[in-house]
Amino acid sequence: MIRFSLRLAVSGGRQAVARLLIIAAAVAVGVGLLLSTLASINAVDKANERQLWTNSGAASRTETAQVDPLWWWGHNDYYGGRQILEVDVAATGPTAPVPPGLTGVPKPGEYYASSALAQLLRETPAVELGDRFPGRLAGVLGNEALPSPDSLYAVIGRTPDELKDLDGARQITTIATALPAVCEDDCPGRGVRGDAMTLILSVVAGALIFPVVIFIGTATRLSAATREQRYAAMRLVGATPGQVSVISAVESTVAAAVGTVVGFGLYAALRPLVATIPFTGDRFFADDLVLTPLQAVAVALGVPVAAAVAARLALRRVTISPLGVTRRVTPKPPSAWRVVLLLAGLAELAYFVDRRPADTDAQTAAYLTGFLMIMLGLVVAGPWLTMAAARGVARRTSRPAMLIAVRRLADDPKAGFRSVAGLVLALFVTTATVCIIGTINENRGTLSGVPQTRAAVEHGARVGEPPMTDALSDRVVADLRTVPGFRSLAVAHANPDGIGRAPGETRQFQPSLVLCSELATTPVVGHCPAGAAVGAVQPYAFFDLESNEDREWPAAPISAEELAKLPVQTVYVTTDGSTAALEQTRTVLTKAYPHHQARTVGDWGSTAQKELAGWRQLANVVLLTTLPIAGCSLAVSVVAGLSDRKRPFAMLRLTGAPLRLLQRVIGLESALPLLVVAVIATGTGFAAAAMFLKSQMDYDLVSPGAVYFGLVLAGLAASLGIIASTLPLLKRITGPEAARNG
């Protein structure tokens, strides 16, 4: 039976072979995208694992070993908005633990850098970056110590005396292989939240796979009428339902199996491309994009089995009643209950607007389920919506082409909607994705504040920390003033006695003391009262993104001479805003006071910017993938509909119906459900995005820009063009021989 089924699958000539190839191609695309998504999730986990070692200095770690202790101090630096992770180490003996990616602990006066950082050091003037690192570059860190080829990591050799009295430095005897139970500010390698990225990639996977599933279903409908008649004829001459099921299952399973094999090859070909997409803000190592054995086996076996089951369900009319096909029984019209699933998906998202789930697993279950229910609901409700629209138009038109088209749609709305289902889903996915990413980008993507704050470098101790230094050296001041692009300098002194503190203010918010002459050169921080020598400035003024130019700080009852004797808490330097000026200023301060961090506005937003860049890239992937697949699905579906209905159209031509009339019928049959359900899908995408954003992030939906609306209009215009491009086939397939041999 299986051998006979294989012969029968290709006995239809070129048309049968073409149908099998289209099914195989659709399955290959779906398998390739699915495997790439699974591999990306695995790559996130691997990237997180390879940066766990940077948490070795966490205070909550209790792991020990009988080896010489290693002094450890992990901290961050920045260059041009890119984060640099630095770990200063000092061995106390020959058996001290060695960080991964190295063959030994770096000696004092040498450091090892990641490949990306080493390249950046070569390409950047030393006064902007290289001078921050002591000694010489002794080598490159191995990839086993890096989460990404873009990672900027450095391990710096020090002496124990340089680190032992440093706040935040600790002795360790083991290298961390797991995330510490408690992470304060001493866990630089927390990595990407794998659960959150799994949520994002799961939604993306659903958005990508759904149109592909529609494409596969559409491809299997090619020559459906001919095959149903063939199977019905087999039943009439004595074939059992089981034999018919085997024949149909073999045909679909062979095509799916071939497509699965090609899909694995497509995944292998896509790996280098997927590795370059910064889903997490940085690229993946290509070697991290691997599948687990269970995933590979599940896809390799599951897809052909699913194809066989789908074929069995598709032929249930033939299996149950072969005369139902030969007699051309009008299908039962869909009921209004079909919209329940769509409404349930929207209701689920609406329920969580003010009830955000507490953890990521619950959020995944809530939001992913809601979006999947909506996508499935659009497919299920589509035929009923098509029928309702067709009946509404039928009551308001008298044109022959429109009457024939809407009557045919009302009689078989499933067939009418099937051709546009893929594009409808693509519109929903496009709308929801653009709205969500666009709103997040609007709220997080642009740093607030004024240009003056983005042109400043702040260096020193944070609130509550010991002062940075007893006094700012003349050499440092001279070096800062010689930086090209230097504008002004303000030195904030510690205020141990709370001078100028307002009544009721706690010590945590006591002001720093600044010379009024220096404040006059940095107006973005504020100004003193007329005639004052020293101002009492709140520390937040040096971190504020907004200008305090109109703020008048109270005078402090202390002389400039007395102020000079107080320790320095913070140094605030303004520049012309160029990268060269900002980074050279940072280098001067980092060299002079390496135990404190120089910060800029761009640094604070760099992590968020990387994450947003990854999300924007995901949106681009979704848009560039779903729309072409939906277009292919539409073209295949229209051609399949023409092929299945060539005999009725041939009969109409024989009775005198003009070819142009029939072409208008075909166009209207495809365009009406497309436009009607597209409006509903787009509106549903707006609603789903708004509820998700309000629930998960408490953001109000921001309307997408002109690019989105242009994309939607272009997509609809292209779809109508695809429909129009298939109309010339009608003349060729509706000749007299089609009526005679149908």
Side-chain angles (χ1 to χ4, degrees), residues 68-388:
D68 296 321
L70 177 73
W71 279 102
W72 185 283
W73 180 49
H75 55 103
N76 291 324
D77 195 2
Y78 291 87
Y79 177 84
R82 298 178 65 187
Q83 188 179 57
I84 303 173
L85 178 61
E86 300 175 8
V87 178
D88 292 33
V89 294
T92 61
T95 62
V98 179
L102 298 172
T103 57
V105 178
K107 299 176 182 178
E110 65 180 24
Y111 64 94
Y112 288 78
S114 63
S115 297
L117 179 56
Q119 181 178 355
L120 185 62
L121 288 168
R122 290 191 298 268
E123 297 173 350
T124 305
V127 293
E128 296 179 21
L129 180 60
D131 288 347
R132 303 179 202 175
F133 298 94
R136 64 182 183 87
L137 177 62
V140 176
L141 284 172
N143 290 345
E144 61 269 25
L146 307 174
S148 165
D150 298 326
S151 300
L152 302 180
Y153 279 23
V155 180
I156 303 168
R158 301 280 189 178
T159 64
D161 290 340
E162 290 178 299
L163 298 180
K164 66 180 182 181
D165 296 326
L166 186 60
D167 184 37
R170 296 181 179 86
Q171 284 188 328
I172 65 169
T173 55
T174 61
I175 301 298
T177 56
L179 191 66
V182 179
C183 280
E184 300 295 341
D185 291 332
D186 50 6
C187 291
R190 300 187 190 189
V192 176
R193 287 182 57 195
D195 50 2
M197 185 54 62
T198 298
L199 170 61
I200 295 171
L201 289 175
S202 297
V203 173
V204 171
L208 292 175
I209 297 303
F210 247 76
V212 174
V213 171
I214 296 296
F215 184 24
I216 295 173
T218 301
T220 59
R221 295 294 303 176
L222 279 171
S223 303
T226 302
R227 287 182 293 124
E228 286 182 348
Q229 287 186 359
R230 178 191 298 169
Y231 296 146
M234 292 180 183
R235 288 292 316 281
L236 290 174
V237 298
T240 65
Q243 289 172 328
V244 172
S245 297
V246 169
I247 293 172
S248 63
V250 167
E251 184 179 16
S252 298
T253 303
V254 168
V258 172
T260 301
V261 173
V262 176
F264 272 87
L266 180 62
Y267 152 70
L270 287 176
R271 278 182 64 196
L273 177 61
V274 174
T276 64
I277 301 175
F279 293 122
T280 63
D282 289 321
R283 295 176 298 160
F284 292 129
F285 285 111
D287 292 341
D288 288 347
L289 289 165
V290 295
L291 301 169
T292 66
L294 179 60
Q295 290 171 338
V297 171
V299 173
L301 298 181
V303 172
V305 170
V309 172
R312 174 66 177 84
L313 294 176
L315 292 173
R316 59 187 182 277
R317 282 200 305 162
V318 178
T319 304
I320 296 173
S321 176
L323 293 178
V325 174
T326 59
R327 292 176 180 173
R328 300 289 184 182
V329 177
T330 300
K332 183 180 178 181
S335 66
W337 287 104
R338 283 177 168 265
V339 301
V340 170
L341 185 60
L342 175 61
L343 296 177
L346 291 170
E348 179 176 355
L349 292 181
Y351 174 81
F352 289 107
V353 167
D354 296 320
R355 303 176 181 86
R356 178 188 175 188
D359 56 78
T360 303
D361 289 340
Q363 292 168 15
T364 302
Y367 302 131
L368 182 59
T369 302
F371 274 97
L372 291 179
M373 287 175 64
I374 291 173
M375 287 191 285
L376 185 59
L378 285 171
V379 176
V380 173
W384 183 83
L385 296 172
T386 299
M387 181 186 69

Side-chain angles (χ1 to χ4, degrees), residues 387-428:
M387 181 186 69
R391 290 178 176 177
V393 173
R395 289 192 293 266
R396 292 172 175 81
T397 186
S398 58
R399 295 177 178 274
M402 180 64 78
L403 283 173
I404 296 174
V406 296
R407 282 299 304 272
R408 288 178 59 83
L409 285 174
D411 287 344
D412 192 2
K414 293 180 182 179
F417 174 74
R418 189 182 299 123
S419 63
V420 299
L423 193 67
V424 166
L425 278 179
L427 285 174
F428 168 78

Side-chain angles (χ1 to χ4, degrees), residues 698-715:
D698 199 25
Y699 290 160
D700 292 325
L701 178 67
V702 175
S703 176
V707 174
Y708 160 76
F709 293 104
L711 182 65
V712 170
L713 292 177

Side-chain angles (χ1 to χ4, degrees), residues 127 479-487 575-576 578 580-582 584-585:
V127 293
D479 289 344
L480 289 173
R481 293 186 181 279
T482 58
V483 171
F486 171 85
R487 290 291 184 268
T575 71
D576 62 3
S578 64
L582 288 170
Q584 190 169 341
T585 299

